[in-house]
């Protein structure tokens, strides 16, 4: 049985009727608008801007485009590699010939960016409605390139990144590193700057402790309940070998609470 784009979309929670698929080719100039095209060295921002500008002509582009735009890059005449899924937040300008849309990069299909390749049956077609594209075959899902661990001194994650680290196979080296240490860490609420100093000790590694934050946002800490974890930033203050006595970790945690003032002006209650 052939795997089609339909299964990929639905597994990501995307109904084909709510999507369209665009295949960009590298061109010097956009044939519909006369605007500069994209090339192999175009940045993500340039591709996003290029995608956001579309023709007024309904024969070229739908009058009411769907909410999700699946954007691919042409590979030969019969293949398209996923660049990104975008959320269409509506038209923001219209000069009578060209419409500009507010497009935002979505987390949908994020783990398949640059990995998913679908067959493209009509070489001259650059846009498909979702139900039509859903029947196109999946040609390849390439192995993702692993992301190297930056080291504990440079480790800073927001909540979405923390969740990715805990589940995405590209971050396997990160999980291994976080599993190998205990220690003291910092959570900063970027909304108001308040900080929380926490620890992982005994049989609980930093990976296990942070896994709880990734799962529910507060990790069981009373101080963090009711706050929005999407505004949190996570970093390590000091890491130790798991054989380190608990009292050493406790002393280190107490030191950072005092040094950073997290009992009086932060999120620590004790």
């Amino acid at each position: 049985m052939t795997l089609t784009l339909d299964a990929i979309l639905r597994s990501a929670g995307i109904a084909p009727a709510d999507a369209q698929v665009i295949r960009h080719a590298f061109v010097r100039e956009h044939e519909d608008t006369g605007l500069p095209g994209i090339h192999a060295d175009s940045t993500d921002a340039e591709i996003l801007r290029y995608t956001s500008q579309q023709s007024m002509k309904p024969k070229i582009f739908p009058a009411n485009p769907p909410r999700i735009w699946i954007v691919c890059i042409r590979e030969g005449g019969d293949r398209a590699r996923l660049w990104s899924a975008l959320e269409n937040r509506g038209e923001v300008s219209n000069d009578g010939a060209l419409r500009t849309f507010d497009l935002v990069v979505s987390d949908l299909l994020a783990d398949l960016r640059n990995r998913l390749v679908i067959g493209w049956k009509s070489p001259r077609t650059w846009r498909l409605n979702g139900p039509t594209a859903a029947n196109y075959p999946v040609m390849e899902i390439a192995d993702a390139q692993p992301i190297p661990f930056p080291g504990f001194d440079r480790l800073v994650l927001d909540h979405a990144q923390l969740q990715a680290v805990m589940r995405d196979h590209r971050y396997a080296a990160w999980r291994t590193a976080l599993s190998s240490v205990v220690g003291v860490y910092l959570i900063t609420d970027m909304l108001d700057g308040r900080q929380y100093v926490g620890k992982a000790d005994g049989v609980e590694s930093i990976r296990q402790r942070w896994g709880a934050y990734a799962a529910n946002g507060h990790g069981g800490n009373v101080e963090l309940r009711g706050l929005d974890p999407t505004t949190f930033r996570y970093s390590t203050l000091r890491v130790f070998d798991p054989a380190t006595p608990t009292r050493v970790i406790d002393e280190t945690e107490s030191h950072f609470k005092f040094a950073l003032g997290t009992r009086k002006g932060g999120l620590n209650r004790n």
Side-chain angles (χ1 to χ4, degrees):
M1 183 176 179
T2 301
L3 177 64
T4 65
L5 183 59
D6 181 81
I8 301 294
L9 294 178
R10 294 187 186 280
S11 68
I14 303 171
D18 295 334
Q20 66 176 354
V21 181
I22 292 172
R23 185 178 78 152
H24 288 320
F26 295 145
V27 294
R28 291 181 178 273
E29 184 178 279
H30 195 298
E31 62 180 346
D32 300 325
T33 64
L35 295 171
I38 57 173
H39 49 79
D41 295 323
S42 292
T43 65
D44 287 346
E46 289 170 338
I47 296 173
L48 182 63
R49 183 167 59 251
Y50 176 75
T51 308
S52 71
Q53 299 176 320
Q54 298 294 338
S55 173
M56 268 291 297
K57 299 177 181 179
K59 289 185 178 181
I60 295 175
F61 197 77
N64 297 300
R67 184 176 64 90
I68 301 299
W69 299 12
I70 310 299
V71 180
C72 302
I73 302 297
R74 174 176 172 167
E75 287 192 347
D78 61 353
R79 289 164 60 96
R81 185 176 295 273
L82 176 66
W83 173 69
S84 187
L86 306 177
E87 179 186 351
N88 168 29
R89 296 186 175 177
E91 184 178 313
V92 293
S93 67
N94 184 331
D95 64 7
L98 192 67
R99 307 164 69 192
T100 301
F101 294 86
D102 179 13
L103 301 180
V104 179
V105 174
S106 170
D107 288 335
L108 296 171
L109 303 177
D111 60 332
L112 293 176
R113 291 174 190 162
N114 300 310
R115 299 176 56 215
L116 172 67
V117 178
I118 61 172
W120 200 264
K121 300 176 183 179
S122 305
R124 294 183 60 84
T125 300
W126 65 274
R127 191 200 70 84
L128 298 167
N129 61 51
T132 298
N135 294 316
Y136 278 32
V138 172
M139 307 296 290
E140 175 187 342
I141 299 179
D143 289 339
Q145 292 296 317
I147 298 175
F149 181 65
F152 294 108
D153 291 341
R154 296 184 178 183
L155 185 62
V156 181
L157 302 170
D158 63 27
H159 191 253
Q161 291 170 324
L162 177 64
Q163 290 179 316
V165 166
M166 293 301 159
R167 67 171 183 259
D168 192 323
H169 63 277
R170 293 176 300 168
Y171 291 96
W174 298 49
R175 291 193 292 273
T176 298
L178 293 171
S179 296
S180 68
V181 295
V182 294
V184 179
Y185 56 84
L186 181 70
I187 300 176
T188 302
D189 187 344
M190 300 306 294
L191 187 65
D192 56 19
R194 291 187 298 166
Q195 296 178 314
Y196 174 87
V197 173
K199 66 177 179 178
D201 58 8
V203 297
E204 185 178 48
S205 67
I206 288 184
R207 175 187 174 180
Q208 291 171 301
R209 192 75 199 94
W210 283 15
Y213 293 124
N216 61 27
H218 55 73
N221 298 119
V222 174
E223 302 94 327
L224 303 181
R225 290 183 184 272
L227 300 179
D228 181 3
T230 63
T231 64
F232 290 174
R233 181 174 290 174
Y234 306 82
S235 58
T236 51
L237 293 172
R238 188 170 297 171
V239 296
F240 298 93
D241 182 275
T244 302
T246 299
R247 63 172 179 78
V248 174
I249 300 172
D250 288 343
E251 290 169 358
T252 303
E253 180 190 30
S254 182
H255 162 75
F256 279 111
K257 286 179 179 178
F258 174 76
L260 297 173
T262 60
R263 292 190 180 98
K264 290 186 176 180
L267 292 168
N268 286 109
R269 293 189 178 181
N270 55 54

